[in-house]
Amino acid sequence: DAKTTQPNSMESNEEEPVHLPCNHSTISGTDYIHWYRQLPSQGPEYVIHGLTSNVNNRMASLAIAEDRKSSTLILHRATLRDAAVYYCILRDVMHNQGGKLIFGQGTELSVKP
Amino acid sequence: DGGITQSPKYLFRKEGQNVTLSCEQNLNHDAMYWYRQDPGQGLRLIYYSQIVNDFQKGDIAEGYSVSREKKESFPLTVTSAQKNPTAFYLCASSAGRADTGELFFGEGSRLTVL
């Protein structure tokens, strides 16, 4: 399974944009890039996913490098409720039986008022 | 509301006892998953099932067992063979093997072995 690398922690100020990076240099052509976040003592929550093109939804934007070896999750205006652990995950439904998600350590985002 | 329900939320067990964690979904999803999370760590896959009456081992299946007799249900049994069962257990589901979209997670079950 292809691996992802994320910083252990990041800090942000409330109402400022946050850019969470993820490196995935061994990504294959059939890997989708998924982002989830997890608040303490809760199950992970889906944020966004994409394959090649940049993606936007109500929660965030996903910017994918042209060579797909890295991606960035963008929270446009951080709020205190965005403080969580953010996981960048590669999901291969073609060759990875069951389309399972392989979680890494994630980035712990703290948001200061 | 549609979603995934895990029970119990908290569970205490004596050493040597088996315990079964419940996971029910009403999302009409084909695929279901069980993950384990230890403090400060990411999630690790225990078992997954792509369809009723079929399941596969994940990365840390030893000491666990599952069944998938109904589409809606995917219970996990933590057996006495699991050496360090104290952990946070998470169940998830997705539309199916070919689906590239999101996994939906339950709120988790926290198991403590006394």
Side-chain angles (χ1 to χ4, degrees), chain A residues 36 43-46 91 98-101 103, chain B residues 3-6 22-27 29-36 43-50 68 71-76 89-96 101-109:
Chain A
Y36 284 75
E45 173 188 30
Y46 167 83
R91 188 179 186 208
K100 61 189 180 184
L101 297 180
F103 284 77
Chain B
I4 296 185
T5 302
Q6 289 187 241
S22 170
C23 178
E24 303 278 330
Q25 55 100 357
N26 60 3
L27 299 167
H29 284 168
D30 285 318
M32 297 186 74
Y33 312 81
W34 273 105
Y35 288 88
R36 167 184 172 138
L43 283 68
R44 292 184 290 168
L45 184 66
I46 305 173
Y47 268 98
Y48 63 99
S49 168
Q50 297 171 253
R68 187 83 187 278
K71 189 175 186 178
E72 304 80 23
S73 179
F74 191 40
L76 173 74
Y89 291 89
L90 287 154
C91 180
S93 72
S94 68
E102 65 183 286
L103 264 64
F104 292 81
F105 283 84
E107 294 194 349
S109 294

Side-chain angles (χ1 to χ4, degrees), chain A residues 12-86:
Chain A
S12 173
N13 294 317
E14 199 175 9
E15 298 191 2
E16 290 185 356
V18 181
H19 290 231
L20 296 164
C22 180
N23 287 322
H24 28 78
S25 58
T26 60
I27 191 171
S28 73
T30 51
D31 280 326
Y32 281 76
I33 302 161
H34 281 241
W35 283 83
Y36 284 75
R37 70 181 186 183
Q38 186 178 24
L39 278 64
S41 297
Q42 293 188 24
E45 173 188 30
Y46 167 83
V47 178
I48 201 167
H49 78 283
L51 183 62
T52 56
S53 303
N54 294 345
V55 184
N56 299 297
N57 66 21
R58 64 175 180 79
M59 289 182 71
S61 296
L62 176 60
I64 302 173
E66 195 170 336
D67 63 4
R68 302 210 324 127
K69 293 184 184 300
S70 66
S71 61
T72 302
L73 179 71
I74 303 165
L75 307 179
H76 295 286
R77 288 184 65 201
T79 69
L80 297 178
R81 293 173 56 190
D82 291 323
V85 177
Y86 286 79

